[in-house]
Amino acid sequence: GAGVSQTPSNKVTEKGKYVELRCDPISGHTALYWYRQSLGQGPEFLIYFQGTGAADDSGLPNDRFFAVRPEGSVSTLKIQRTERGDSAVYLCASSLGWGNTEAFFGQGTRLTVV
Amino acid sequence: KQEVTQIPAALSVPEGENLVLNCSFTDSAIYNLQWFRQDPGKGLTSLLLIQSSQREQTSGRLNASLDKSSGRSTLYIAASQPGDSATYLCAVRGNTPLVFGKGTRLSVIA
């Protein structure tokens, strides 16, 4: 596609529920990143994929968070047993590869846990 | 651990002024530095990418400089317009994915 696409744009869920957030990267981009942004803060790194594998998942806050990219394109961020503290904007980005390449971000998914 | 700081946190200027946004980072071993713009409730729009071997990049009224050895970058905006009002984020890529500052919130008053 023309840009990074994230769905849904907004998600409201009840505490304790499971949610999935989807990211469609730019076609041909092998690197995909998930970030989380709280109000008034810069984005914080969660996980990075190179192809199908998670090359770096050091930013995932705990084991309730998991992400997959089974075919090396679309990625899904999964959050189990959601907590009110998980409320944030979840941003996805993609780039041609690692290193000296420009990252392009989607519009984000605003997650609200009530 | 890489840390990125942006000063000032907020800035308000009258239309037409030239302005400078500052970004500093603690680890100079970077591949590149990227400046982004974020409008309220929106995602990030890439403005400029500076490779570690470069000193500056220009796009229209925007000019970004990089002094890797001192861990500093500046974003210069010429002849500011109300449409430039947004949050500007600086991010560096080293051996980790992009590390962001908290941003500078810019308001350009007509």
Side-chain angles (χ1 to χ4, degrees):
Chain A
V4 178
S5 176
Q6 292 187 247
T7 55
S9 55
N10 282 285
K11 175 72 176 177
V12 180
T13 189
E14 293 181 347
K15 179 175 177 295
K17 299 290 189 182
Y18 167 84
V19 296
E20 290 189 351
L21 311 179
R22 177 187 168 105
C23 173
D24 276 276
I26 293 172
S27 178
H29 281 193
T30 61
L32 184 146
Y33 314 81
W34 283 99
Y35 282 79
R36 178 168 72 173
Q37 186 176 27
S38 300
L39 194 64
Q41 303 294 314
E44 294 180 331
F45 169 72
L46 294 175
I47 186 169
Y48 153 61
F49 288 90
Q50 182 61 44
T52 60
D56 184 349
D57 64 358
S58 61
L60 294 177
N62 52 60
D63 61 5
R64 294 187 298 106
F65 289 75
F66 189 71
V68 295
R69 195 185 185 199
E71 298 178 356
S73 178
V74 170
S75 176
T76 304
L77 178 65
K78 309 181 180 195
I79 309 174
Q80 299 177 323
R81 304 183 304 279
T82 52
E83 300 177 356
R84 293 195 178 87
D86 299 334
S87 296
V89 176
Y90 289 81
L91 295 163
C92 176
S94 70
S95 64
L96 275 173
W98 181 249
N100 296 340
T101 57
E102 188 172 7
F104 297 90
F105 280 76
Q107 292 299 296
T109 294
R110 180 176 299 278
L111 175 66
T112 303
V113 181
V114 298
Chain B
K1 178 187 171 186
Q2 179 74 269
E3 293 183 1
V4 179
T5 303
Q6 292 189 245
I7 295 173
L11 180 63
S12 183
V13 300
E15 181 178 6
E17 272 204 7
N18 304 323
L19 58 100
V20 174
L21 307 181
N22 297 291
C23 171
S24 61
F25 47 96
T26 55
D27 185 350
S28 61
I30 64 169
Y31 290 125
N32 58 49
L33 182 146
Q34 211 169 335
W35 281 94
F36 295 89
R37 168 186 173 137
Q38 187 172 34
D39 292 286
K42 303 293 186 182
L44 277 62
T45 300
S46 179
L47 296 173
L48 289 163
L49 171 72
I50 311 178
Q51 304 293 356
S52 61
S53 59
Q54 297 176 320
R55 296 286 290 184
E56 65 179 310
Q57 281 285 348
T58 298
S59 176
R61 293 183 293 109
L62 305 180
N63 176 278
S65 69
L66 174 64
D67 184 341
K68 197 176 78 161
S69 61
S70 68
R72 296 179 187 275
S73 176
T74 61
L75 179 66
Y76 175 82
I77 303 177
S80 58
Q81 303 171 356
D84 295 330
S85 298
T87 295
Y88 291 81
L89 293 153
C90 161
V92 296
R93 183 197 299 266
N95 288 324
T96 59
L98 285 171
V99 177
F100 283 84
K102 292 185 177 181
T104 293
R105 189 172 65 255
L106 173 65
S107 297
V108 180
I109 311 302

